[in-house]
Amino acid sequence: MLKFKGGKDMKTTLSVIKADTGSVGGHNRPSEAMLDKAREVAAKAVKKGLLKDARVSFTGDDIAFLMSHTRGVDNSDIHKFAWDAFVETTKIAKKQGLYGAGQDLLKDAFSGNVRGMGPGSCEIEFEERAAEPFILFAADKCGPGMFNQPIFEAFADPYHNAGLLLAPDMKAGFTYNIMDVNYTEADRVITLRVPEDMYEINALLRDPNHYVIESVIENASGLKGAVVSTSRLHNIAGKYVGKDDPVAIVRTQKQFPSTGEILSPWAKAYYVLGDNRGSHHVAVMPVKQNTIISYFDGPTIVSAAGYCVHEGKFTELVDLFDQPFWDMVREKASLKTYEMRQQGFYGPAMAGMDELEYTGVVQILKGLDKKFTIRKSK
Ligand code: 13P
Ligand code: 13P
Ligand code: MG
Ligand code: MG
């Protein structure tokens, strides 16, 4: 446990802030020069004492800063650090002539918090347990609702969280904070619990473009176990400007499902909305760290980095999807994606109208609207 000078306990905050600030190829991956810059500014912030520790990674074309510090969530110095860092990586992307330079920086000037400005973020503050294992999930080519099913199942379903049967501590279940991401004036949230509200929770989470898990709390201990970035870029920009490409932090073991239980649902290779132009349903592929984007601007990918944090310092990462089991899942995800692609844009292959509203299809339909005639009945 970290201590203040007087000996009082100090809490650790983990902040993950990510953005797409440009990429090599189309929307494929950031450049080495951008990543070098990100690592350089992160190392400086650790040296200056703003951060206890930091790690830089990329998933497809998105760069993520994993940071530990003692300033709590929503701290403007931490958010400003990340914003400024993304301004720096944007400068490099522009200089190198990369595609989509500054894509996710939707506002001109920083104003206190990256939420509502384009970059995605999730943060969690806690008193470190004696061992504090956690997973950083980072996804590309999808929205934040892609975490609904795996995070719901990993905690609440004994098919995945065998600890619900075998480790009596977790039997009191979990509380889910769920956000209505279509409500843009403020945060509209609802708090529901398993097992009591099982069906109500599912009635919301089945619509992942509208309702998104924001955080999960263990009922018995009151400890927060998971946080997910919830931003929807089209709600900020009012048009399609790229996908949200969310991140999540999940604490594991003891009061929470084990690391393997948290990974278990990802073996299904769920269909999610994302992929090319953010508008297609494909199977999410669990990938190794630093995986690029390829086929049909996809497929939608998710990476999982396991760490322990101790007195604010991170261990090396364990690349949790870099294990032979996941080769089978990657194969399956490829086949599922390819099968859906055979259907092109018909029916379930493409996004529903509520999501396509933010794209050019609206103009086509508008143009056709005046050409429709109402046939006179005889
Ligand atoms: P413990 O070492 O915490 O008992 O872990 C059990 C476990 O994680 C099995 O999945
Ligand atoms: P990104 O959101 O990852 O930039 O992808 C945008 C896109 O439209 C790919 O086809
Ligand atoms: Mg991009
Ligand atoms: Mg992206």
Side-chain angles (χ1 to χ4, degrees):
M1 169 69 65
L2 289 165
K3 300 270 183 205
F4 284 109
K5 274 204 183 101
K8 222 175 133 234
D9 291 345
M10 195 188 274
K11 287 183 177 175
T12 295
T13 308
L14 301 182
S15 297
V16 181
I17 304 187
K18 51 76 52 185
D20 175 351
T21 55
S23 52
V24 179
H27 293 279
N28 303 86
R29 61 153 286 172
S31 69
E32 285 301 335
M34 291 168 73
L35 293 164
D36 284 346
K37 176 54 78 176
R39 287 186 206 107
E40 179 197 313
V41 295
K44 268 191 201 150
V46 173
K47 209 163 168 203
K48 266 181 29 199
L50 175 69
L51 304 176
K52 284 263 162 207
D53 208 352
R55 293 283 190 276
V56 173
S57 60
F58 74 92
T59 303
D61 60 3
D62 292 83
I63 296 179
F65 287 96
L66 166 65
M67 300 170 278
S68 79
H69 55 93
T70 54
R71 294 172 181 237
V73 304
D74 279 333
N75 179 272
S76 63
D77 295 334
I78 301 294
H79 281 239
K80 183 166 188 328
F81 159 75
W83 178 268
D84 290 346
F86 288 128
V87 169
E88 290 303 312
T89 56
T90 296
K91 278 185 198 156
I92 292 184
K94 283 189 175 151
K95 207 158 90 189
Q96 292 186 304
L98 302 191
Y99 193 72
Q103 179 181 291
D104 287 354
L105 304 186
L106 300 178
K107 305 279 153 133
D108 293 329
F110 179 74
S111 61
N113 192 302
V114 297
R115 277 189 289 122
M117 302 189 71
S121 66
C122 66
E123 301 181 278
I124 186 167
E125 185 186 39
F126 49 75
E127 282 175 19
E128 284 181 11
R129 297 172 292 171
E132 190 55 70
F134 71 95
I135 305 172
L136 164 58
F137 288 102
D140 191 29
K141 307 297 183 264
C142 55
M146 73 94 75
F147 283 115
N148 280 7
Q149 196 171 348
I151 287 193
F152 180 74
E153 291 184 350
F155 284 90
D157 181 353
Y159 275 44
H160 298 284
N161 182 4
L164 291 170
L165 308 179
L166 301 172
D169 289 358
M170 275 187 287
K171 262 186 79 177
F174 295 90
T175 295
Y176 288 77
N177 290 314
I178 297 169
M179 186 178 287
D180 172 357
V181 289
N182 284 356
Y183 189 84
T184 50
E185 276 101 275
D187 289 351
R188 184 167 186 260
V189 291
I190 188 168
T191 299
L192 296 166
R193 293 157 62 99
V194 278
E196 302 90 310
D197 306 318
M198 185 79 171
Y199 304 133
E200 287 78 1
I201 292 177
N202 279 282
L204 295 173
L205 297 185
R206 59 154 290 284
D207 186 359
N209 302 321
H210 191 165
Y211 300 105
V212 169
I213 292 177
E214 180 193 45
S215 57
V216 185
I217 292 151
E218 201 235 353
N219 291 338
S221 61
L223 297 181
K224 196 173 263 193
V227 286
V228 180
S229 65
T230 52
S231 57
R232 301 286 341 254
L233 291 175
H234 70 213
N235 290 339
I236 302 169
K239 61 175 195 251
Y240 180 69
V241 289
K243 223 45 185 173
D244 317 298
D245 306 336
V247 282
I249 300 171
V250 182
R251 296 166 77 193
T252 66
Q253 306 294 142
K254 299 293 175 198
Q255 294 87 348
F256 306 116
S258 74
T259 300
E261 287 163 348
I262 294 290
L263 299 177
S264 171
W266 295 99
K268 291 187 186 178
Y270 305 102
Y271 283 112
V272 297
L273 177 62
D275 201 71
N276 185 35
R277 299 181 192 277
S279 306
H280 297 84
H281 287 114
V282 296
V284 59
M285 180 184 283
V287 296
K288 300 174 193 179
Q289 293 297 305
N290 304 337
T291 291
I292 65 151
I293 285 299
S294 175
Y295 170 72
F296 202 54
D297 278 5
T300 295
I301 57 175
V302 63
S303 65
Y307 290 95
C308 286
V309 60
H310 185 63
E311 297 185 349
K313 290 286 177 196
F314 298 123
T315 55
E316 71 270 36
L317 74 82
V318 50
D319 189 353
L320 292 166
F321 290 140
D322 183 4
Q323 209 275 343
F325 175 85
W326 299 98
D327 293 338
M328 175 277 286
V329 180
R330 285 188 270 272
E331 185 94 16
K332 179 170 74 166
S334 297
L335 292 170
K336 286 180 70 170
T337 290
Y338 186 71
E339 284 306 321
M340 187 63 101
R341 286 300 311 129
Q342 299 317 292
Q343 188 150 324
F345 41 80
Y346 284 85
M350 201 179 245
M353 255 336 277
D354 52 338
E355 285 292 304
L356 292 179
E357 227 183 300
Y358 298 89
T359 70
V361 89
V362 181
Q363 271 137 43
I364 299 182
L365 296 180
K366 233 191 215 159
L368 291 176
D369 198 53
K370 24 187 190 303
K371 296 189 182 175
F372 272 92
T373 56
I374 311 281
R375 195 172 279 150
K376 297 232 162 62
S377 59
K378 284 179 194 143

